[in-house]
Amino acid sequence: MAKQETDCSRLQTLAILAVRQGRELCDQLADMRDAPVGDLPRFCLIAMMRRLESGEVTDGKDLVALNALRFGLAERMSQEIIGSKVETHFAGYDEDGEVWSAREVHVYSGRGAKAQSIYDRLERFLDVRQQLLDRANAERLAASLLR
């Protein structure tokens, strides 16, 4: 019984996270007047946003709009690069102590930085959404096998 409760609470945690990520994505998109969705009709984006705002994060119809948005944001980011800089990141520890790494990252214009922020939020949402779908499908499969 405890295992079932744990699985259920994991699924609920993923569902809560996916709903929150979807809502936060919509909050950011609402501030973007010219969301780059290519040839996708604006009403498709609006319908997707309404579904996400109401917590409907697993609707397959939204994948077209989400992918158009992902592509459009990536394209905008590539057009808004104004330079680059080197950032250091903590990589872990070795026998001598802390290990840091450096990498070159793009610097964007204000418009590009906004696109990057939304792109990052979109990627997090899509990742959590997929984890939720995978867990729900796995639990459904396991339940059908145990009958």
Side-chain angles (χ1 to χ4, degrees):
M1 184 71 169
K3 172 126 174 64
Q4 267 185 329
E5 288 176 13
T6 302
D7 288 343
C8 185
S9 69
R10 286 182 184 151
L11 187 61
Q12 287 176 336
T13 299
L14 278 174
I16 291 168
L17 189 56
V19 168
R20 181 181 305 138
Q21 290 286 340
R23 180 182 41 78
E24 290 173 354
L25 174 62
C26 288
D27 290 346
Q28 281 189 289
L29 281 172
D31 291 337
M32 181 178 258
R33 306 234 184 280
D34 61 340
V37 290
D39 294 335
L40 185 76
R42 183 98 177 129
F43 74 86
C44 290
L45 179 66
I46 292 168
M48 177 210 61
M49 288 175 65
R50 284 190 182 135
R51 282 190 290 275
L52 293 183
E53 287 170 339
S54 68
E56 297 174 38
V57 297
T58 60
D59 195 323
K61 293 182 286 195
D62 294 333
L63 288 179
V64 171
L66 290 166
N67 284 327
L69 182 61
R70 177 197 261 169
F71 179 79
L73 290 168
E75 189 174 312
R76 179 169 293 171
M77 288 164 44
S78 70
Q79 295 168 352
E80 297 293 327
I81 297 171
I82 58 174
S84 64
K85 65 180 179 179
V86 175
E87 288 185 351
T88 57
H89 297 275
F90 178 70
Y93 293 96
D94 67 6
E95 61 277 354
D96 296 325
E98 293 181 351
V99 176
W100 291 80
S101 65
R103 67 178 176 173
E104 189 171 351
V105 296
H106 297 296
V107 176
Y108 297 100
S109 67
R111 188 171 183 234
K114 187 171 191 172
Q116 181 191 24
S117 176
I118 295 172
Y119 183 88
D120 292 345
R121 172 80 58 197
L122 174 60
E123 288 294 312
R124 286 192 301 273
F125 167 69
L126 289 172
D127 181 53
V128 169
R129 178 186 181 278
Q130 191 59 55
Q131 287 179 46
L132 172 64
L133 291 171
D134 290 347
R135 179 164 294 276
N137 288 334
E139 288 186 17
R140 192 171 21 257
L141 175 62
S144 72
L145 294 173
L146 295 175
R147 285 187 214 163

